[in-house]
Amino acid sequence: VQLQASGGGLVQAGGSLRLSCAASGLTFSSATVGWFRRAPGKELEFVARRKRYDSNPYYADSVKGRFTISWDNAKNTVYLEMNGLKLEDTAVYYCAADSRIISSSSFKMSNYNYKGQGTQVTVSS
């Protein structure tokens, strides 16, 4: 199984980016997919999660109302649409997936079997 995260870049505050997480060897529709980020000098942080077979994503308070998870089953890809970006959103963003993870464990990336390599998002003033 491989996860490929992409779509990061440099954007001005208030701007938007869409991150993609594509999977091979795993069907996203039957997996819980999480997005996480690590800001400079900070610990890994949960951002958002979509549970398998559940169309209602869950978001960290820090991104609620600004970030949206979406998915394309035909492309086996999960997206993180980020709007209203703030300086504090600057981080390396990771996607992770697991077909068996339970809900309570899905807020820590270390609990996922499969993890992507990360994509850098830099928000400038």
Side-chain angles (χ1 to χ4, degrees), residues 97-109:
D98 194 304
S99 59
R100 298 183 178 184
I101 195 168
I102 62 174
S103 181
S104 59
S105 298
S106 63
F107 300 102
K108 287 186 65 177
M109 196 171 83

Side-chain angles (χ1 to χ4, degrees), residues 37-45 87-92 120:
R37 66 185 181 186
R38 188 191 301 274
K42 295 190 176 182
E43 294 188 354
L44 200 59
E45 176 189 21
L87 297 179
E88 53 264 39
D89 294 320
T90 294
V92 178
Q120 175 72 47

Side-chain angles (χ1 to χ4, degrees), residues 21 28 31-36 48-52 69 78 95-98 112:
C21 179
F28 269 155
T32 294
V33 181
W35 284 98
F36 299 84
R49 174 210 72 196
R50 190 217 72 181
K51 291 195 299 183
R52 60 184 184 272
I69 282 184
V78 174
C95 61
D98 194 304
Y112 287 75

